Amino acid sequence: MGGSKVDIKTSVQSARLTPKKIALYAAIAVFLVAAPVYFQSIGNVFMVRIFALVGIYVMLALGLNIVVGYAGLLDLGYVAFYGMGAYSGVLLGYVFQKLVGGADAPLAGLSYWALLPIAALMAALTGIALGTPVLRLRGDYLAIVTLGFGEIVRIALQNDIFGLTNGSAGLPRVGETIVTAAGQKWAFMHLSTTTFTFSKDLFWYVVVVALCLLTIFVIRRLDNSRLGRAWVAMREDEVAAAATGVNIMTTKLWAFSLGAMWGGIAGITYAYWVGFISPESFNFMESVLIVCMVVLGGMGSIPGSIVGAIIIAGLPEVIRGLAQSTALSRFLTPEQASRIGDYRYLIFGGLLVVMMAVRPQGILPSTRRARELTSEEPIIEEENTDLWEVEHKHDLPHKL
Amino acid sequence: MHFNVADVPQQLVNGLTLGGMYALIALGYTLVYGILLMINFAHSEMFMGGAYFGLLWLNILSKQSFFTGSAVGLVLLYAISILLAAIMTGVLGVLIERFAYRPLRHAPRLAPLISAIGVSLFLQNAVLLWVSSRSIPFPVKFPVYQYTLARDGSGSLAFTVLGASDKIVDKLGQGAHAIVQFSTLQIMIIVVTLILLFVLDTFISRTKLGKAMRATAQDRDTAGLMGVDINRIIAITFFIGPAMGGVAGIFSGMYYGNIKYNMGFIPGIKSFTAAVLGGIGNLRGAMLGGFVLGMAEALASGFISTAYKDVIAFVILILVLIFRPGGLLGESVVEKV
Amino acid sequence: MARSKRFVALVAALAALALVVAGCGGTTETGGEKETVTVKIGVTSPFTGDVAALGLGIKNGATLAIDEANADPELQELGIKIEGFFVDDAADPKTAVNAATQLTSDPKVVGVVGHLNSGCSIPASTKYNEAGVVQVSPASTNPKLTQQGLKNVFRVCTIDTVQGSFAGDFAVDKLGAKTVAVISDSTPYGDGLADEFAKQFESRGGKVVSRDKIQLKDQDFKALVTKIQGLKPDMIYFGGMYTEGGLISKQSKEAGLRVPLMGGDGLYTQQFIDIAGAANAEGDIATSVGLPLDQQPKGQEFKAAFEKKFPGTNIEAYDTYAYDATMVIVEAIKKVAKEMGADKLTTPAGKQAIIDAVAQTDYDGVTGKVAFDEFGDTTNKAITAYIVKGSAFVPYEQ
């Protein structure tokens, strides 16, 4: 099996900075800073907001990538952790507000920052609690169990479980507030000029981007760690990995709970960013879209997950934004523009099919996987195009 | 929580009908999975598509007075409409396989999953935008009766047939109440489902083509080497599965009286669950899983909580999988060393 | 490395695309031929998805109002042209907030008519508040919306507490019901309405024999109906929309549970009867905010204008409310333009003045007299009960 020959050199090489890479990173950095500032200065907060939204999905995709891309576990209920982070963040926020003396207390703004690690931990613990009994299931059995778990969480939230979640009406209730994070007011006061406002949306954009960078940093470290290599080994061949001393259960649990943790971080950030959460935001379709981001971008690839998230979360909004932009208003009536906006999911669905047909391994597949795919030995290609297939060939008796 | 023993028989009938529909759809998931190891997310849109094709043919054919004039004509009207709609849905399935999935045959296994989601979004929105975003009434042109087992006014067992506007007390006297009722539609759904399941099972296990399908499911490449035309087998799979799903869609339209562009979503998830519950890739497992899930939902909804019925269904699934990791009829997984 | 090049290209392409979008969305327009000032009224409701029928109705009502406003000589004299800015919120809270941001990003938007769902209106309202733009909802009936203390939020429809308790009284007084099975659809609207109904019904001495919640998009309610049938209630109350409501009505009657189904304004559309089937829906009751169209002061005029503009389209529950909500904003625009000048409308001060003007609205609308209390709720608290008779909703008469 070609995939198990993990080439240490490649990972070292990919970590080395070449001039081209430096240029690329610089370009991205400039874009990340300049674009929102530009949009903000022309008063187009909508785009800033879309950027932040995409950023939250980038976090989710990167988190799920650990589970799906690295460890090879198909999780169709990832929103459960996302919702867990959001709800625990908001509910604990009230507790925090009580502790510091009300929503208007000077320290109340710290609740987001203080709860960020706690929400992450809560989600990770949920991941462990769910993972322990079910992670020995394989492939699609695991997929359906996670799907079920996602639905269970959503329905429980919807039915006001333990009297905490306020059911379908969502949080905050009347009289409660989700206080915005400390720093937003400061930024507004000190970083605004006469022509440029450092808006709340811009502030959250900065927070989201910072969290994304942190996520990327941690996951890159993980990828090259002992654990990361264990994931790859396990994904390629569980039996062989176990034989070489990888503890399969622990390795899977690490992936599952780390993935869940990022779901939690994205969840609390989403809650404080939107300022309102309700169970509808954590439905099955959302889980599916996040899986799409990972696979479309290229499983196991960090840039892939990012690009996948950008395309899937951003594209429908961009189609809508384009249709309703003033440039096109010369050719379209508002009525027609709105109609095109309605077509966005049709176009998006078609594009998904086309993109997968053109690049089945994803847009930016990971180096390791790419080598597997373009291997010169045909047998290896046949075997490795499909790791789970290999797995299933061993295990699943197909009785038709 | 509310337990009324008298409701049990009726809830079983409710569950059986729902389960029959789940079973029909689950077959499509399991067939495709067996051959291609892929979750065909677009299958729920086959269910929806079948319903719309069915409506189309009903509207076209009922313009002919031959079909609406007599009882035989009415039976033929529905039989032909269902058949034509099933064929159209099957063809749609084959086309989708040809253009969306075949290019991905050697791609990573999750790639077709994304294409399937793309197809699903596309088809849903195509119907939404080009047909209607509204619920469309689905006509049932024949009279629907309730075949009722009841206790009559004096408390003894009685059997009666109720029309749409008949009241049970008028027929059996004051104090009469139904124990269990089957409507014409429920009987039709259960009977046709069982026939289709039997035919399909025989087809797969007895015919040469079925043997080729089983061979392909076991090992696609070896089957190819043994002279099985893999592309043909896959095309046939993608015809049968969607055709069955389409029939389920028409039944759903008749049973619930309406069709809508997003009607496939929930039955799609449930049937996928049913297929896994029974042991995905296993035909009889899909049937069993469908009926078990339908029953579980009806009983949970009737006796425990409607709000938590899906939770209960999923908890059952998780428990089954924890104790039988291969599903109800799947063979237990042997760790290969 | 080819891959990184491709990545750069992709990033660049996305950036370019984004810049195009933004550039277009900006204030670059230099319309200087005439001296007219274009202002926009945002209209946002679900144009796609399950409740699109009601959402598109809102769009139609608002379109009609905008067309009429532009034909108004008074507005022409002031040099104002009003444009509709239609955005789909897909009945989803996240999309709704995005829609709100998209609307408030455009400096020309001086007021927003929307949203349909309370679950959308509530999170979006803070966006409008931050941007200092007035929001007038034609249809969000959850009390929480105006209890948030936001000064820019108004609605022309009556709230759930009023409608729910009206329905509770109605069930006891007019229908003589003693027992009821209450169902809701797990949405803020449905749950809120059903809870208000149950509260009032019980306080009037009625008995709620069962309280169930269903999931949206479910189709099979046979098990629920069988259970309710065993409890022999005098009626069923359903808090939710017509899609599920119609199916529950149909399935309960088919199972032999021939008691009326009652619900709120979410059921008050012809679609409900289509889904349930006319024979099954016969005798079902829906309460709706305001007076019936025929009894509304300008109902006939509206009907005529609507049929001229949208031939073959049904008038849905909120069309007239959307019309009035739009007109309320139009009136405020006129008032502010007279006081401050048309060119000041799109400034923050102008938008604030519009909010103040809306708060003092005193307007004779299609739905009756429109004025707002200190919370921003309409002072017109009329509720009408409609009954299905001969496959159409008609006002209930004793």
Side-chain angles (χ1 to χ4, degrees), chain A residues 126-181:
Chain A
T126 318
I128 293 175
L130 172 71
T132 309
V134 304
L135 274 178
R136 60 197 187 92
L137 296 172
R138 280 147 200 275
D140 300 283
Y141 293 87
L142 182 68
I144 191 83
V145 165
T146 48
L147 184 162
F149 180 68
E151 285 293 280
I152 290 172
V153 168
R154 182 182 61 82
I155 294 170
L157 293 175
Q158 210 165 55
N159 285 294
D160 197 10
I161 187 131
F162 309 130
L164 285 173
T165 66
N166 199 25
S168 53
L171 295 172
R173 300 177 179 88
V174 175
E176 295 167 339
T177 35
I178 299 178
V179 286
T180 189

Side-chain angles (χ1 to χ4, degrees), chain B:
Chain B
M1 195 88 157
H2 154 87
F3 190 75
N4 186 355
V5 182
D7 289 351
V8 174
Q10 188 61 48
Q11 295 295 21
L12 290 176
V13 172
N14 293 336
L16 203 62
T17 324
L18 189 60
M21 260 184 285
Y22 287 162
L24 270 184
I25 312 168
L27 281 178
Y29 278 110
T30 245
L31 272 176
V32 168
Y33 188 91
I35 304 273
L36 285 183
L37 290 179
M38 115 180 222
I39 307 171
N40 181 13
F41 254 98
H43 192 57
S44 52
E45 279 15 282
M46 302 296 101
F47 174 79
M48 181 268 292
Y52 278 85
F53 287 138
L55 184 65
L56 176 76
W57 282 112
L58 273 180
N59 285 344
I60 293 174
L61 293 180
S62 47
K63 292 206 177 82
Q64 308 292 324
S65 56
F66 163 75
F67 286 115
T68 47
S70 62
V72 180
L74 272 178
V75 172
L76 279 177
L77 169 68
Y78 278 87
I80 294 174
S81 298
I82 290 175
L83 191 69
L84 288 175
I87 292 172
M88 282 177 81
T89 321
V91 170
L92 180 64
V94 173
L95 288 177
I96 291 171
E97 192 276 326
R98 179 67 194 83
F99 292 107
Y101 304 152
R102 192 174 297 180
L104 300 176
R105 189 110 12 114
H106 291 284
R109 203 177 64 95
L110 285 185
L113 181 76
I114 306 306
S115 288
I117 291 165
V119 170
S120 171
L121 275 174
F122 184 88
L123 290 178
Q124 255 192 47
N125 280 280
V127 174
L128 165 79
L129 293 163
W130 296 330
V131 183
S132 173
S133 62
R134 296 173 171 235
S135 287
I136 306 177
F138 197 97
V140 177
K141 293 173 193 287
F142 50 83
V144 175
Y145 296 105
Q146 297 280 355
Y147 301 89
T148 310
L149 184 67
R151 291 209 179 273
D152 62 15
S154 60
S156 51
L157 281 179
F159 180 79
T160 181
V161 179
L162 300 173
S165 54
D166 292 335
K167 284 186 179 164
I168 190 166
V169 283
D170 298 340
K171 285 242 175 181
L172 296 177
Q174 208 60 41
H177 58 273
I179 297 172
V180 60
Q181 290 185 313
F182 283 89
S183 78
T184 315
L185 287 172
Q186 283 175 318
I187 292 174
M188 189 189 88
I189 290 171
I190 295 171
V191 169
V192 175
T193 301
L194 289 176
I195 292 173
L196 282 177
L197 298 184
F198 177 75
V199 169
L200 187 63
D201 193 51
T202 316
F203 171 74
I204 300 279
S205 57
R206 297 286 157 81
T207 65
K208 206 171 170 196
L209 213 52
K211 202 178 201 175
M213 284 174 86
R214 278 182 290 144
T216 313
Q218 232 157 44
D219 190 330
R220 199 195 303 160
D221 299 330
T222 316
L225 292 175
M226 298 296 162
V228 175
D229 182 350
I230 301 295
N231 280 336
R232 186 157 152 262
I233 294 299
I234 292 177
I236 290 173
T237 311
F238 268 95
F239 181 84
I240 299 177
M244 294 268 191
V247 174
I250 299 173
F251 283 167
S252 164
M254 292 168 74
Y255 189 51
Y256 301 121
N258 295 278
I259 58 177
K260 202 173 181 187
Y261 71 94
N262 61 4
M263 64 187 277
F265 183 68
I266 300 230
I269 296 179
K270 295 285 173 59
S271 309
F272 174 43
T273 309
V276 175
L277 183 66
I280 193 155
N282 183 317
L283 218 55
R284 289 177 192 168
M287 304 174 196
L288 180 68
F291 282 111
V292 168
L293 197 72
M295 286 290 182
E297 258 187 49
L299 295 178
S301 180
F303 299 120
I304 305 174
S305 154
T306 309
Y308 281 104
K309 78 172 163 58
D310 291 352
V311 170
I312 292 162
F314 281 122
V315 167
I316 290 175
L317 172 88
I318 293 175
L319 290 179
V320 166
L321 288 185
I322 285 176
F323 293 107
R324 275 193 73 85
L328 288 173
L329 293 190
E331 279 159 35
S332 56
V333 179
V334 185
E335 202 75 36
K336 196 191 166 204
V337 183

Side-chain angles (χ1 to χ4, degrees), chain A residues 20-21 24 27-28 31 35 38-39 42-47 49-51 53 57 82 151 154-155 158-160 166-175 200-201 270 273-276 278 280-281 283 286 303 306-307 310-311 315 317-318 320-322 324-330 334-335 337-339 341-342 344-345 359 363-367 370, chain C residues 1 3-11 14-30 40 47-48 56 59-60 63 83-99 101-107 118-120 122-123 126-127 130 142-145 147-148 185-189 191-192 213-216:
Chain A
K20 268 179 193 164
K21 280 205 160 179
L24 173 68
I28 295 173
F31 176 81
Y38 166 71
F39 289 126
I42 61 162
N44 193 335
V45 200
F46 177 61
M47 283 309 292
R49 202 177 156 81
I50 295 301
F51 282 2
L53 178 71
Y57 280 107
Y82 182 37
E151 285 293 280
R154 182 182 61 82
I155 294 170
Q158 210 165 55
N159 285 294
D160 197 10
N166 199 25
S168 53
L171 295 172
R173 300 177 179 88
V174 175
K200 192 174 166 187
D201 288 292
Y270 169 80
W273 172 65
V274 175
F276 177 84
S278 64
E280 301 163 64
S281 304
N283 59 29
E286 203 82 350
I306 297 172
V307 171
I310 292 173
I311 292 176
L315 196 59
E317 296 296 340
V318 169
R320 177 158 91 170
L322 263 182
Q324 279 166 342
S325 61
T326 340
L328 288 177
S329 71
R330 267 155 236 163
E335 176 63 27
S338 150
R339 282 292 289 175
D342 299 346
R344 65 191 184 278
Y345 282 108
R359 287 188 77 84
I363 296 172
L364 293 171
S366 79
T367 343
Chain C
M1 285 178 91
R3 193 165 304 107
S4 64
K5 254 186 209 158
R6 240 178 263 130
F7 184 58
V8 176
L10 192 81
V11 171
L14 279 172
L17 195 60
L19 286 172
V20 169
V21 177
C24 308
T27 51
T28 43
E29 199 170 290
T30 49
K40 293 183 184 173
F47 306 154
T48 54
L56 289 169
K59 190 177 170 185
N60 290 343
T63 308
E83 252 179 41
F85 188 166
F86 303 98
V87 183
D88 178 16
D89 70 16
D92 163 55
K94 179 166 37 76
T95 316
V97 178
N98 285 345
T101 317
Q102 194 181 1
L103 290 173
T104 51
S105 281
D106 188 335
S118 301
C120 290
I122 294 167
T126 49
K127 271 284 150 200
E130 279 163 22
N142 193 305
K144 186 174 159 185
L145 175 62
Q147 287 168 6
Q148 300 174 102
D185 68 349
S186 305
T187 63
Y189 162 73
D191 291 352
K213 287 189 188 178
I214 57 155
Q215 294 284 312
L216 281 183

Side-chain angles (χ1 to χ4, degrees), chain C residues 121-130 135 145-154 355 374-376:
Chain C
S121 270
I122 294 167
S125 60
T126 49
K127 271 284 150 200
Y128 302 122
N129 185 262
E130 279 163 22
Q135 175 194 9
L145 175 62
T146 45
Q147 287 168 6
Q148 300 174 102
L150 304 175
K151 292 285 167 218
N152 64 319
V153 181
F154 302 88
I355 295 175
E374 71 268 34
F375 299 107

